[in-house]
């Protein structure tokens, strides 16, 4: 199968869309399929592309005003050219919004089937950044995804949202996790002493530091005696969060084996953002044997079994986050039980998830063939 992945983000970017697109490309190549990635250009792209599993076509881009970590691709004929030159059987659109819209249009002109992967709650982002515009964001989402042969949602909540807003032909495609990289055996006592010299309970957050993530909800946990909050990640909100979370340790961006050791060395993982369509960091914490506190909204509803692998709390509730952390801090037996149950519950490898995706591709191609033959 010849596949073109058109993605709004790709390594060296560090985010869910980039990571998922990379894993998809790796799996397709590993299964013998011919894959090309089309992605926005970045200043560090050359080094990252040298390590990519397939050819990467970069489209000129500009940083998003106020959020330079996000690149927006400029209009370019390279998208259609890449699809045509690769003689694509199918176009995979990862989080389509700007570049993906052009990929969708090019696929339609060329008569190539398209599968759109929904990954970002743009309606929630519109509320966060503009205080309005949610309806317009959903109109955009609906128009883009309605043109696809199939839209894949990462969680039950995301699928319900898409269907409620009139998006047709929605399937479910969750995300995998590397249970070899993320595992409890990486717990590092020397690292724990460095993070919490006083032997405090280590409560961690991993992710972008941006308004939609609402990391300031950790303020109550920061005020608890015997608790050390550790924040991993970077983004436009970092300076404000350093003031809002006194006593928290900000480690900046961490990746690879270092990130895996940090995950395994936590006592509790807290995710605060209410707009997650999946939430990969929750799954990575569970794979690391760490109990999770997360909002009862979006992707975490599929991942966290309340009272068994962690605690679900009302979204946007600082007090609820604090109380959940406090209850776990006082009960090491429950933390251990939740962590073990979380590790046991994480069974989706990227290989299994990738094969499921190929199954979706096969179904789309078969449907197109049936329509053409009718």
């Amino acid at each position: 199968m010849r596949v073109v992945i058109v993605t709004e983000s790709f390594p060296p970017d560090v985010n869910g869309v980039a990571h998922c697109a990379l894993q998809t490309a790796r799996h397709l190549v590993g299964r013998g399929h011919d894959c090309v990635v089309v992605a926005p250009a970045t200043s560090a792209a050359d080094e990252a592309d040298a390590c990519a599993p397939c050819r990467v076509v970069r489209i000129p881009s500009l940083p998003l005003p106020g959020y330079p970590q996000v690149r927006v691709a400029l209009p370019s004929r390279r998208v259609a050219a890449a699809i045509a030159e690769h003689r694509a059987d199918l176009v995979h659109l990862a989080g389509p919004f700007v570049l993906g819209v052009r990929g969708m249009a090019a696929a339609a002109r060329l008569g190539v089937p398209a599968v759109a992967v929904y990954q970002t709650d743009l309606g929630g982002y519109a509320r966060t950044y503009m205080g309005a515009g949610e309806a317009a964001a959903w109109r955009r989402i609906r128009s883009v995804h309605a043109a696809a042969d199939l839209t894949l949602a990462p969680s039950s909540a995301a699928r319900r949202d898409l269907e409620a807003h009139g998006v047709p032909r929605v399937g479910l495609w969750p995300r995998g996790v590397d249970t070899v990289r993320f595992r409890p055996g990486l717990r590092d006592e020397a690292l724990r002493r460095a993070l919490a010299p006083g032997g405090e309970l280590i409560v961690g957050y991993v992710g972008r530091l941006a308004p939609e993530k609402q990391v300031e909800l950790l303020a109550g946990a920061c005020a608890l005696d015997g608790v050390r909050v550790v924040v991993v990640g970077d983004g436009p909100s970092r300076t404000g969060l350093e003031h809002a979370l006194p006593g928290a340790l900000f480690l900046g961006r961490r990746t690879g084996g270092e990130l895996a050791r940090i995950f395994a060395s936590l006592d509790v993982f807290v995710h605060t953002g209410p707009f997650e369509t999946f939430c990969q960091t929750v799954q990575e914490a569970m794979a690391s044997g760490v109990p999770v506190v997360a909002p009862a909204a979006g992707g975490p509803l599929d991942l966290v079994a309340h009272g068994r692998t962690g605690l679900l709390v009302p979204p946007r509730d600082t007090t609820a986050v604090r109380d959940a952390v406090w209850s776990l801090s006082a009960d090491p037996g429950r933390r251990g039980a939740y962590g073990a149950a979380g590790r046991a519950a994480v069974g989706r490898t990227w290989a299994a998830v990738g094969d499921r995706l190929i199954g979706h591709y096969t179904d789309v191609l078969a449907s197109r063939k049936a329509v053409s033959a009718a």
Side-chain angles (χ1 to χ4, degrees):
M1 192 183 308
R2 304 177 70 84
V3 179
V4 173
I5 298 173
V6 180
T7 178
E8 305 290 338
S9 186
F10 198 69
D13 296 347
V14 180
N15 57 57
V17 173
H19 181 67
C20 186
L22 175 62
Q23 292 292 346
T24 299
R26 282 176 176 165
H27 186 75
L28 290 173
V29 171
R31 288 289 190 259
H33 300 289
D34 195 350
C35 181
V36 167
V37 170
V38 178
T42 70
S43 59
D46 288 348
E47 183 177 351
D49 292 352
C51 300
C54 62
R55 185 167 70 94
V56 181
V57 176
R58 293 287 180 172
I59 307 301
S61 68
L62 292 174
L64 186 68
Y67 202 157
Q69 292 89 348
V70 176
R71 306 285 302 190
V72 178
L74 297 172
S76 172
R77 295 180 180 177
R78 294 184 192 177
V79 182
I83 295 170
E85 290 168 7
H86 193 58
R87 294 180 288 114
D89 298 309
L90 183 139
V91 175
H92 172 120
L93 304 160
F97 194 68
V98 177
L99 187 58
V101 171
R102 297 174 195 137
M104 185 78 77
R109 287 196 305 273
L110 295 167
V112 179
V115 172
V117 178
Y118 177 69
Q119 293 185 247
T120 305
D121 181 0
L122 294 169
Y125 283 25
R127 289 198 305 274
T128 299
Y129 285 94
M130 297 181 289
E134 183 177 4
W138 272 109
R139 285 195 296 272
R140 173 81 164 184
I141 292 167
R142 185 167 52 248
S143 67
V144 172
H145 285 269
D149 292 74
L150 176 67
T151 286
L152 295 175
S155 65
S156 301
R159 183 176 187 171
R160 287 192 296 270
D161 280 348
L162 288 164
E163 291 174 341
H165 286 88
V167 176
R169 301 178 298 280
V170 182
L172 188 63
W173 182 54
R175 302 293 177 263
V177 65
D178 187 340
T179 55
V180 175
R181 169 174 287 180
F182 296 100
R183 62 186 192 275
L186 293 177
R187 191 173 178 87
D188 186 330
E189 292 302 325
L191 175 60
R192 286 177 52 78
R193 288 192 295 272
L195 297 176
E200 299 93 341
L201 184 91
I202 302 175
V203 175
Y205 166 87
V206 178
R208 285 198 314 279
L209 305 185
E212 73 275 7
K213 299 299 184 180
Q214 299 187 5
V215 185
E216 64 276 5
L217 295 174
L218 285 167
C222 284
L224 293 173
D225 291 336
V227 169
R228 184 65 184 271
V229 171
V230 175
V231 177
V232 180
D234 211 343
S237 296
R238 176 166 178 170
T239 299
L241 288 169
E242 287 175 340
H243 289 93
L245 304 178
L249 179 62
F250 286 78
L251 299 182
R253 173 183 164 185
R254 295 289 188 272
T255 60
E258 184 182 17
L259 177 61
R261 286 193 300 275
I262 293 171
F263 262 116
S265 300
L266 301 176
D267 294 303
V268 178
F269 177 79
V270 179
H271 187 78
T272 49
F275 304 125
E276 300 299 325
T277 59
F278 184 74
C279 201
Q280 183 68 7
T281 56
V282 162
Q283 192 167 232
E284 290 167 351
M286 292 170 64
S288 303
V290 178
V292 172
V293 175
L301 291 170
D302 280 1
L303 298 173
V304 181
H306 181 73
R308 191 168 69 85
T309 64
L311 298 173
L312 293 169
V313 299
R316 307 177 187 85
D317 191 331
T318 302
T319 301
V321 172
R322 181 202 64 195
D323 291 349
V325 169
W326 177 248
S327 69
L328 290 174
S329 73
D331 195 340
R334 186 156 61 124
R335 292 200 306 272
Y338 285 2
R343 172 71 182 181
V346 175
R348 287 189 294 257
T349 64
W350 275 110
V353 168
D355 285 344
R356 186 169 173 177
L357 177 65
I358 292 170
H360 285 303
Y361 289 172
T362 301
D363 291 344
V364 164
L365 292 172
S367 295
R368 275 288 187 108
K369 186 176 181 180
V371 170
S372 298

